[in-house]
Amino acid sequence: QVQLVESGGGLVQAGGSLRLSCAASGRTFSTVAVGWFRQAPGKEREFAAAVTWNNRNTLYADSVRGRFTISRDNSKNTVYLQMNRLKPEDTAVYYCAVGYRWGNRLEPTDFDSWGQGTQVTVSS
């Protein structure tokens, strides 16, 4: 089993930036992908970005492409989500997760282990 701990959330004004971190430990050798999802109040959890464990491929939701960048530091087993030009509609709890498949479209059901989430609030 993989343990995930997110950090880096907070309150920021629209147009600002935040960097989220997801530290992974445990049985990571079978991991294929690490993803970031987000869930706003009253809404379903939605995909934001993902990166393959070997750091060769990335995938972004249309709503964040060009503003968010996902990356992995192999030496630290940590995945980052750099979020720039934040908008109030980016406000949500952000979760990282690890999964064992990759594709052109990723859903929460493609991921097995989840972190506890970190709150991101963007004020207008």
Side-chain angles (χ1 to χ4, degrees):
Q1 191 167 353
V2 178
Q3 292 78 44
L4 302 169
V5 178
E6 301 104 331
S7 60
L11 173 65
V12 65
Q13 288 187 333
S17 299
L18 282 175
R19 189 178 79 158
L20 305 183
S21 299
C22 173
S25 61
R27 300 169 63 88
T28 60
F29 56 86
S30 297
T31 300
V32 171
V34 180
W36 283 97
F37 289 78
R38 62 187 186 181
Q39 188 165 19
K43 295 188 177 181
E44 293 186 353
R45 190 168 298 189
E46 66 174 11
F47 171 78
V51 61
T52 51
W53 193 246
N54 60 15
N55 228 358
R56 292 178 183 173
N57 301 96
T58 57
L59 187 67
Y60 295 95
D62 289 343
S63 58
V64 308
R65 187 178 294 112
R67 300 186 298 122
F68 291 10
T69 303
I70 189 170
S71 62
R72 178 173 175 254
D73 184 331
N74 293 349
S75 66
K76 297 180 180 179
N77 261 5
T78 299
V79 173
Y80 302 99
L81 186 67
Q82 178 66 43
M83 306 185 295
N84 298 328
R85 292 185 282 136
L86 283 160
K87 305 175 182 179
E89 51 263 44
D90 294 318
T91 294
V93 178
Y94 283 70
Y95 299 89
C96 71
V98 296
Y100 307 101
R101 69 169 294 271
W102 184 258
N104 292 330
R105 181 183 175 90
L106 296 172
E107 302 288 347
T109 51
D110 294 318
F111 293 80
D112 297 78
S113 298
W114 293 80
Q116 81 288 352
T118 185
Q119 176 71 48
V120 171
T121 303
V122 185
S123 63
S124 57

